[in-house]
Amino acid sequence: MKNLIGIVVVSLILLGACSTRKNTFVSRGYHNVSTKYNVLYNGNVALEKGIQELNAKYKDNFWKVLPIEPLKIEQEILLLPGKSTEKTSSSFDIAEEKAVKAVQKHGMYIAGSERNKQIDDAYLLLGKSRYYSQRFVPALEAFEYVLKHYPKGDLNKELRIWKAKTQIRLQNEEQAVFALEDLLKSKKNEKEINEDAYTALAMAYLALDSVPQAIKHLNNAVETHENKEQHVRNLFVLGQLYRQEQNLDSSQLAFQQILDFKKSPYKYIIHTYIEQVKNSTDSTDITELQKIITKLIKERENRPYLDELYYQTAQMNYHDKDSAKALENLIYSVHTPLANNFQKGLSYEKIGDYYFDKAKFVKAGAYYDSVMPNVTNQNTKRIRRLKRKRKSLDEVIVHENTLKYNDSILSLVAMNTAERTAYFEEYIAKIKKADELAAIIKENKERSNTSGNALAGNKKQNTNAGKWYFYNTQTVGFGKGEFQKIWGNRDLQDNWRWSERSVIQMNDENLADNSSLIPEIIDESKKYNIDFYINRIPKEETELQLMRENNSNALYQLGLIYKEKFQEYPLAIQRLERFLAEKPKENLILPAKYHLYKIYEITEDPRLEKVKNEIITDYPDSRFAKIIQNPDELNYDMLTDTPESHYEKVYCDYEYEKYAEVLAQCNVAIKQYEDNPIQAKFELLKSYTLLRTENKASFVKGLEFVVDNYPKTVESEHAQEVLDVMNGVKKQTLIIEKNQDKVEKKPIKTQSKNQLKSLTDQEKKEKVLELMKKNGPPKK
């Protein structure tokens, strides 16, 4: 009976303790303990797990200044309390649920005061879980609520920091700065509070683009290291900001502190060495740094960073004026198995720059093209500049490819039967060797897959369990299969991992020059047949003559491009001299010789006198001869020494309405520049001049002449579009602006739709003609 009474009494006491309405010692103790060691414990575990998941997914871009807090904000999700989102991590959901449960089931708000000391912790957990799930407005509400109702709580200062961080995320940086500076006025703050507050202040000033203030507060933050990982991150950002401000000595000092700090995470250590390379100048002694980077490359655990390490090694090679070694390391950088796309883009661009500087523009263009697939945002300043640079190579690449293609065909045409047979025998031997290598690689892959499947199938029947793994045949077999799957067949030698170097260094110069004769899809029965290739060589003289003419035009254009656009005078000389040696058209000989004369003059070439005498002797009455003989008495007419400059002068006369002179000059130029692309421009300009001086019929006739005689040219397209507009075939969305560097279609500013409806077809055509007269032909 006594036992029964005791049980009843204890039960009544426990039931009373469960009440959140009674301010008793037992009630307070029960809810405090239940909140702290049950609900909040599980909530904090879930929060920590969510943070770890975020950190695992977060990838730092070390090529930019790192954010002080590694939290990726894809979009700011501003929701009302109680709302959720699919983007919220499940771990943060659990943490939020636990926080809400703690408040609802264990809160003891009695007589205007909270009696459970753990409730402010619950609100802090609630705010943090919402903050990390990017629901900043609800997070701010949680922090403000607890600050208002628990102004003297133990967590007051921590809550003020979290509130300020949330305001930064909501772009209320000024309020955050005011609150944090007010907090830091207290001299009784713990080290951890000051460190977190200074870190948050630096975040706010970076958001306000005030780098000096951010540096100041980061320096204050790194005086202590209560939070080890944040301390290292602050030092890293500090070093980056110092470099951004061109203060390299302070930057190096900040990075050195990371290396000296014993508990620095490894990703910061290895990138610190990389940042020190970035800080090097022409006067920096980087010998020791080169040894460190070389050692890091050899270490197995640094495989994820090899692309960056090779890239920085290349930068140090450039520092030592060893561009060939730099190229080698850049190629390694783009071929590392774990190469980052952004880093690949940088390495490809650097390789392109190398070939650009060497005037190998076709290769440079190919590497610049390789940058684009590795870039996520193509609207950055760097990529826009790269696109412009790549576009400037278009003409060179077209003409060089034309030259290479035609030369390869013509070289085969010039061979006798025995030479052709020997050539294709060598080519077939190469493709046989390549096919054998491909078959070996395929066999290795199949063997590795078979080994892996066999191990999986026999796993349960393993009779070698318990043996040392080198004695376990299945384990060894599986290991060999996996090795071959990843690495292929490797020779037993030092640095076996880098044996792909011989493959990487192969380039298109090792391949057959006459790949144009090889179709993309070959019948396997004809693949090794010499006659199959020989029969593809052109035999018609008209086709061969067209190739020679195309070569001649490409050589002339390349000579001008290398001279005028790139100032690559040796290449320009090579192309123009070859052009003159291959029986060019008569009307281009004199301009080519004059361009050679100007290049010889610039480069102080001894051949200057020879070409000068040829021009004066063979073409005594030409503008070029007069310019050479009387360089001090140049007039404006003499300066029109190229077809392009001649056109510019005539077009200028057109703009000044000197139509009679323009018509006369156009007629002269059309005869003078026969078979030159500039001829189409003069024809089009002549058509527009006839519209001014004669009538519409002459204008239309001139446009039709351009369309018929200069197909597939810009001028022909323009003329056809004008004719279409006049005939009502197309909408009136023409005319081309004259003063732009590139042709741009612009809408014709006609009358309103209602007014147009009231016009007849003839009146519409007259309106178009008026606009043609006003706008004129395209200038370029």
Side-chain angles (χ1 to χ4, degrees):
M1 186 67 179
K2 288 182 179 180
N3 290 337
L4 182 60
I5 294 171
I7 291 170
V8 171
V9 170
V10 171
S11 298
L12 290 171
I13 292 171
L14 290 174
L15 287 170
C18 290
S19 174
T20 58
R21 301 297 181 185
K22 294 182 180 181
N23 185 18
T24 63
F25 175 78
V26 175
S27 294
R28 291 196 302 273
Y30 170 79
H31 286 291
N32 267 309
V33 171
S34 296
T35 305
K36 182 175 182 179
Y37 293 105
N38 184 7
V39 185
L40 288 186
Y41 172 79
N42 291 324
N44 283 314
V45 168
L47 179 71
E48 188 60 33
K49 181 183 176 184
I51 293 172
Q52 289 174 0
E53 289 170 355
L54 278 181
N55 291 338
K57 293 177 183 176
Y58 186 82
K59 300 297 181 185
D60 279 310
N61 182 0
F62 286 92
W63 284 99
K64 296 181 179 179
V65 176
L66 298 184
I68 293 173
E69 184 180 47
L71 178 63
K72 184 178 181 181
I73 309 297
E74 295 181 0
Q75 58 179 354
E76 295 192 350
I77 307 167
L78 310 178
L79 298 176
L80 296 174
K83 298 286 183 182
S84 186
T85 174
E86 292 179 2
K87 287 189 177 289
T88 305
S89 168
S90 60
S91 297
F92 296 128
D93 279 343
I94 294 169
E96 185 172 355
E97 287 172 9
K98 295 297 181 183
V100 172
K101 181 179 178 180
V103 173
Q104 290 179 345
K105 291 194 174 184
H106 298 285
M108 296 180 66
Y109 196 74
I110 301 169
S113 178
E114 179 58 59
R115 307 300 176 176
N116 186 345
K117 295 181 180 180
Q118 300 301 320
I119 295 302
D120 55 348
D121 294 80
Y123 275 106
L124 178 61
L125 175 62
L126 179 65
K128 285 182 179 180
S129 62
R130 290 174 173 177
Y131 178 90
Y132 283 114
S133 58
Q134 302 183 30
R135 295 162 56 222
F136 300 120
V137 170
L140 185 62
E141 289 180 352
F143 295 135
E144 287 181 336
Y145 179 86
V146 71
L147 284 169
K148 180 179 178 181
H149 290 86
Y150 307 94
K152 296 182 180 179
D154 295 337
L155 300 176
N156 179 275
K157 292 179 180 180
E158 185 178 355
L159 284 160
R160 288 163 69 181
I161 293 172
W162 276 99
K163 177 185 174 182
K165 287 170 66 175
T166 309
Q167 288 174 323
I168 294 168
R169 296 295 183 184
L170 292 172
Q171 300 180 356
N172 294 328
E173 293 90 357
E174 292 83 358
Q175 293 181 27
V177 168
F178 179 80
L180 290 167
E181 288 180 343
D182 184 60
L183 172 63
L184 287 166
K185 289 177 182 177
S186 173
K187 304 237 178 181
K188 298 179 181 179
N189 293 338
E190 296 175 358
K191 289 181 180 180
E192 186 175 358
I193 292 296
N194 279 342
E195 185 177 327
D196 290 345
Y198 281 123
T199 301
L201 261 177
M203 282 176 59
Y205 279 114
L206 274 183
L208 292 168
D209 292 327
S210 180
V211 175
Q213 285 294 322
I215 289 174
K216 172 186 172 183
H217 292 297
L218 279 175
N219 273 315
N220 291 330
V222 298
E223 289 180 1
T224 57
H225 45 78
E226 300 300 311
N227 183 337
K228 302 293 188 293
E229 184 156 355
Q230 188 62 53
H231 172 73
V232 175
R233 192 175 184 88
N234 287 347
L235 283 170
F236 197 93
V237 175
L238 187 60
Q240 290 181 309
L241 292 176
Y242 271 130
R243 182 173 63 244
Q244 187 174 304
E245 296 293 295
Q246 303 299 316
N247 192 342
L248 297 184
D249 290 338
S250 297
S251 178
Q252 289 289 67
L253 184 61
F255 288 128
Q256 189 59 44
Q257 288 181 59
I258 296 174
L259 299 176
D260 295 339
F261 191 65
K262 293 182 180 179
K263 296 185 179 180
S264 296
Y266 190 69
K267 68 174 182 178
Y268 294 113
I269 292 174
I270 197 160
H271 281 101
T272 291
Y273 287 120
I274 291 171
E275 293 295 325
Q276 288 185 331
V277 177
K278 293 179 187 177
N279 282 344
S280 61
T281 61
D282 292 339
S283 60
T284 306
D285 183 6
I286 58 171
T287 307
E288 193 62 33
L289 204 51
Q290 283 177 319
K291 291 179 182 177
I292 294 170
I293 298 294
T294 304
K295 182 181 177 183
L296 290 173
I297 288 173
K298 293 178 180 179
E299 292 174 356
R300 184 183 182 88
E301 61 269 22
N302 293 330
R303 283 183 184 177
Y305 310 108
L306 282 178
D307 53 343
E308 296 176 72
L309 292 171
Y310 276 127
Y311 182 83
Q312 295 306 328
T313 304
Q315 296 297 88
M316 291 187 286
N317 296 142
Y318 278 122
H319 182 279
D320 293 338
K321 314 297 182 187
D322 190 351
S323 58
K325 192 68 177 175
L327 175 65
E328 183 182 345
N329 282 304
L330 288 169
I331 292 174
Y332 294 158
S333 175
V334 299
H335 284 85
T336 52
L338 301 176
N340 172 274
N341 282 344
F342 184 82
Q343 179 59 66
K344 267 188 179 181
L346 290 173
S347 299
Y348 276 127
E349 184 179 354
K350 274 288 181 182
I351 297 172
D353 290 342
Y354 170 87
Y355 284 117
F356 189 93
D357 293 339
K358 297 289 183 182
K360 296 182 178 180
F361 299 116
V362 177
K363 277 191 174 183
Y367 279 105
Y368 289 148
D369 288 339
S370 298
V371 175
M372 300 309 165
N374 295 291
V375 174
T376 53
N377 181 9
Q378 299 202 359
N379 199 34
T380 62
K381 184 177 180 181
R382 166 183 157 248
I383 297 302
R384 291 198 302 270
R385 184 174 62 247
L386 182 64
K387 283 181 177 179
R388 289 195 298 271
K389 191 173 185 179
R390 171 61 183 83
K391 190 169 180 61
S392 71
L393 299 177
D394 282 348
E395 282 187 280
V396 175
I397 292 171
V398 168
H399 292 308
E400 287 289 2
N401 285 338
T402 299
L403 206 57
K404 183 178 180 181
Y405 177 90
N406 291 339
D407 281 348
S408 67
I409 302 297
L410 294 172
S411 66
L412 285 172
V413 171
M415 292 180 185
N416 58 38
T417 304
E419 290 171 333
R420 292 178 186 176
T421 302
Y423 177 86
F424 283 113
E425 282 177 349
E426 183 182 353
Y427 175 78
I428 290 171
K430 285 181 180 180
I431 62 174
K432 279 183 178 179
K433 188 175 181 180
D435 289 346
E436 288 170 5
L437 181 62
I440 292 170
I441 293 171
K442 182 180 179 181
E443 184 182 349
N444 286 338
K445 287 183 178 179
E446 290 175 353
R447 189 187 307 159
S448 63
N449 291 336
T450 304
S451 300
N453 294 334
L455 178 64
N458 297 325
K459 210 168 190 181
K460 295 181 181 179
Q461 303 174 10
N462 187 0
T463 58
N464 295 306
K467 291 184 179 181
W468 187 42
Y469 62 89
F470 278 137
Y471 297 152
N472 187 319
T473 55
Q474 286 187 343
T475 303
V476 172
F478 177 72
K480 286 182 178 179
E482 283 296 301
F483 179 88
Q484 289 177 338
K485 183 178 179 181
I486 297 171
W487 300 102
N489 289 326
R490 296 299 173 106
D491 294 330
L492 183 60
Q493 60 182 14
D494 290 338
N495 297 321
W496 57 267
R497 286 175 294 178
W498 316 133
S499 61
E500 72 267 29
R501 292 182 181 189
S502 59
V503 178
I504 292 171
Q505 290 174 340
M506 289 180 66
N507 54 45
D508 53 354
E509 293 173 1
N510 301 79
L511 305 177
D513 292 331
N514 295 287
S515 56
S516 54
L517 294 177
I518 316 303
E520 292 184 5
I521 301 175
I522 304 177
D523 185 346
E524 289 296 322
S525 63
K526 300 178 180 179
K527 192 172 183 180
Y528 306 131
N529 187 335
I530 293 176
D531 292 336
F532 169 73
Y533 299 108
I534 291 178
N535 291 335
R536 291 177 59 83
I537 299 174
K539 298 178 179 61
E540 295 291 333
E541 183 58 34
T542 53
E543 188 176 354
L544 297 175
Q545 183 58 31
L546 181 61
M547 285 184 177
R548 294 186 188 102
E549 290 176 2
N550 289 340
N551 261 12
S552 181
N553 179 61
L555 287 166
Y556 182 74
Q557 295 299 330
L558 285 169
L560 297 189
I561 292 168
Y562 288 140
K563 171 181 176 271
E564 301 293 342
K565 184 182 281 189
F566 298 111
Q567 288 78 51
E568 289 291 340
Y569 299 121
L571 279 175
I573 290 172
Q574 184 187 55
R575 294 293 184 259
L576 289 172
E577 286 183 341
R578 181 182 162 186
F579 166 78
L580 291 170
E582 294 187 359
K583 298 180 181 179
K585 292 183 178 179
E586 185 65 32
N587 63 309
L588 294 178
I589 293 176
L590 177 56
K593 286 188 174 183
Y594 180 73
H595 285 297
L596 270 176
Y597 168 80
K598 297 300 291 183
I599 297 170
Y600 290 155
E601 189 176 47
I602 294 168
T603 57
E604 299 181 354
D605 193 293
R607 291 170 288 184
L608 175 67
E609 286 300 318
K610 180 184 175 184
V611 73
K612 174 183 176 181
N613 292 332
E614 287 177 0
I615 293 171
I616 293 172
T617 303
D618 298 340
Y619 307 95
D621 298 327
S622 67
R623 299 191 313 278
F624 302 107
K626 292 176 182 177
I627 292 170
I628 292 171
Q629 289 174 309
N630 303 294
D632 298 327
E633 299 179 12
L634 289 176
N635 56 45
Y636 186 76
D637 291 333
M638 289 182 179
L639 290 176
T640 58
D641 56 354
T642 65
E644 291 77 14
S645 56
H646 188 187
Y647 178 78
E648 290 282 344
K649 177 182 179 297
V650 177
Y651 193 93
C652 184
D653 289 340
Y654 176 88
E655 289 182 321
Y656 280 99
E657 301 182 2
K658 299 177 181 179
Y659 301 123
E661 294 180 24
V662 171
L663 199 57
Q665 285 288 333
C666 283
N667 288 326
V668 171
I670 289 166
K671 292 180 181 178
Q672 181 178 351
Y673 301 122
E674 186 178 356
D675 297 325
N676 190 302
I678 202 75
Q679 191 180 40
K681 293 185 181 296
F682 279 106
E683 286 283 7
L684 186 62
L685 183 59
K686 178 182 175 181
S687 301
Y688 274 88
T689 308
L690 290 172
L691 178 62
R692 294 282 191 169
T693 57
E694 296 184 13
N695 52 42
K696 183 182 75 172
S698 300
F699 177 55
V700 171
K701 187 177 179 181
L703 293 177
E704 289 173 346
F705 182 84
V706 172
V707 171
D708 293 338
N709 290 276
Y710 304 98
K712 296 182 180 180
T713 62
V714 174
E715 292 75 25
S716 172
E717 290 176 8
H718 175 85
Q720 185 61 59
E721 289 187 6
V722 174
L723 290 169
D724 289 342
V725 171
M726 294 180 66
N727 295 326
V729 176
K730 296 179 70 174
K731 292 182 179 179
Q732 299 177 8
T733 57
L734 203 52
I735 300 297
I736 298 178
E737 179 148 355
K738 299 180 291 184
N739 297 322
Q740 296 292 325
D741 288 340
K742 66 178 183 178
V743 177
E744 291 185 0
K745 294 178 185 177
K746 295 209 165 187
I748 298 176
K749 295 180 180 178
T750 58
Q751 299 175 0
S752 68
K753 290 183 178 179
N754 292 331
Q755 290 174 317
L756 281 173
K757 286 180 181 177
S758 63
L759 296 175
T760 64
D761 290 342
Q762 184 61 34
E763 288 172 331
K764 288 178 183 177
K765 290 180 182 180
E766 294 301 327
K767 283 287 181 185
V768 172
L769 282 173
E770 287 178 18
L771 289 164
M772 298 299 169
K773 289 181 180 180
K774 181 179 178 182
N775 287 279
K779 186 174 183 179
K780 296 191 176 182

